[in-house]
Amino acid sequence: MHAVGSAVPSIVLLFVILSLLVILFGAMMFYIETLFCELDQDTLKYVYTTGDNAGEETLYQNIPASMWWAIVTVTTVGYGDMFPVTWAGRLVAVATMVTAIVVLAFPVTILGSAFNDSYDQKTEEQLEKEKHKVPFGVRVSKWVRRLLRQREAEKNIDEVLEDYEQRVEMQELKGEDKAFFVAALDDAEKWFTTLEEVNEELFKQMKVVERETARISYLQTRVKMLTSVLDAKAETVSEVSSSPENGSMADKISET
């Protein structure tokens, strides 16, 4: 439709030229052929008066009939039902054929060029769409990731899978595409089951880690207390040993 719309001026020009040629050469052929004829008063038909066809009725009895010959000639159909028999008529026929070929070539070329440009543009648009088109596998991957996010939002897995099955029907996927999508959904469901099992195992391990962490914290507290006691005792021993009068007492404390 775009090509036809852009070629409307060329189409109009083609029909205008065609009409002018038909009217012009049809009228010329009628008058040229009837120059060698006389009107029969009884039949009211033009009859040749000279040449090999003398006494025969001409095929070009009026302008509309001559225009029919002009249409057949200009369009290069050439039925052969009408043809000139005089030398002047044959010259008009040659001029009609040559003029039609030369004149009609211009609008026909423009029309063909418009259709060719439209086809090239359509092809480029299609290639551009194919270039930016997301592969089906990537779309399935995005749907599965969206499915995972919905699952993380604690949505019912059955509702989610049903929703995506409806997407399959809405997009009218068939054959390998549908099988691939359904297989992806089955894999996603298996992933959910595996994730739930992994989450349960992690929860158990976290409980163990929490207990061990509490135990380590308790042991760290005991170590700090014992370290404080030892530091206090070391300070006492240091003070006693630094006094000469209490040397013997320091020895006793050390012995203890």
Side-chain angles (χ1 to χ4, degrees), residues 5-19:
S6 62
V8 166
S10 300
I11 296 174
V12 173
L13 179 63
L14 176 63
F15 279 101
V16 169
I17 294 176
L18 183 62
S19 301

Side-chain angles (χ1 to χ4, degrees), residues 25-246:
F25 288 104
M28 286 179 62
M29 181 60 74
F30 169 73
Y31 286 113
I32 291 296
E33 284 291 303
T34 55
L35 283 176
F36 301 89
C37 299
E38 288 184 354
L39 182 63
D40 188 345
Q41 297 299 327
D42 296 332
T43 61
L44 298 179
K45 299 286 186 179
Y46 286 99
V47 179
Y48 288 110
T49 57
T50 59
D52 296 336
N53 299 94
E56 296 181 4
E57 294 181 357
T58 181
L59 298 174
Y60 304 92
Q61 292 293 329
N62 49 55
I63 292 179
S66 301
M67 288 174 61
W68 164 253
W69 167 85
I71 292 175
V72 173
T73 304
V74 166
T75 56
T76 68
V77 175
Y79 278 127
D81 55 342
M82 296 178 67
F83 53 89
V85 296
T86 63
W87 62 269
R90 289 170 181 169
L91 288 177
V92 173
V94 171
T96 303
M97 289 183 281
V98 173
T99 304
I101 292 174
V102 174
V103 175
L104 293 181
F106 292 103
V108 170
T109 303
I110 296 173
L111 183 61
S113 178
F115 277 97
N116 189 42
D117 293 341
S118 178
Y119 178 77
D120 291 341
Q121 182 179 358
K122 195 70 176 177
T123 303
E124 290 178 0
E125 291 176 357
Q126 188 67 24
L127 291 175
E128 194 69 19
K129 288 181 180 179
E130 291 292 334
K131 181 179 178 181
H132 296 286
K133 185 178 179 181
V134 180
F136 182 76
V138 176
R139 284 187 283 141
V140 170
S141 176
K142 290 182 178 179
W143 289 340
V144 170
R145 287 200 298 270
R146 197 176 305 153
L147 202 62
L148 289 169
R149 290 197 298 269
Q150 290 177 347
R151 179 55 179 170
E152 290 175 356
E154 297 181 354
K155 207 175 176 184
N156 191 335
I157 181 62
D158 295 330
E159 295 178 359
V160 175
L161 292 175
E162 183 179 356
D163 175 58
Y164 277 89
E165 288 173 358
Q166 291 176 357
R167 287 173 181 248
V168 173
E169 299 299 332
M170 289 173 61
Q171 297 197 9
E172 297 181 353
L173 297 179
K174 297 179 181 179
E176 296 181 357
D177 287 344
K178 184 173 182 179
F180 183 74
F181 186 84
V182 173
L185 290 179
D186 292 338
D187 291 340
E189 189 173 5
K190 293 177 183 178
W191 294 342
F192 293 144
T193 304
T194 304
L195 284 174
E196 289 177 352
E197 294 175 356
V198 171
N199 285 335
E200 291 178 0
E201 186 65 26
L202 287 175
F203 182 75
K204 294 178 181 179
Q205 295 296 330
M206 287 177 65
K207 290 294 184 182
V208 174
V209 170
E210 287 178 358
R211 288 197 299 267
E212 293 298 326
T213 302
R215 182 178 177 184
I216 291 172
S217 178
Y218 171 75
L219 291 175
Q220 286 178 343
T221 304
R222 293 286 298 173
V223 167
K224 288 180 180 180
M225 292 175 62
L226 291 174
T227 302
S228 300
V229 172
L230 290 175
D231 289 341
K233 186 173 182 180
E235 289 178 0
T236 303
V237 170
S238 176
E239 290 176 357
V240 172
S241 60
S242 62
S243 176
E245 292 83 2
N246 297 325

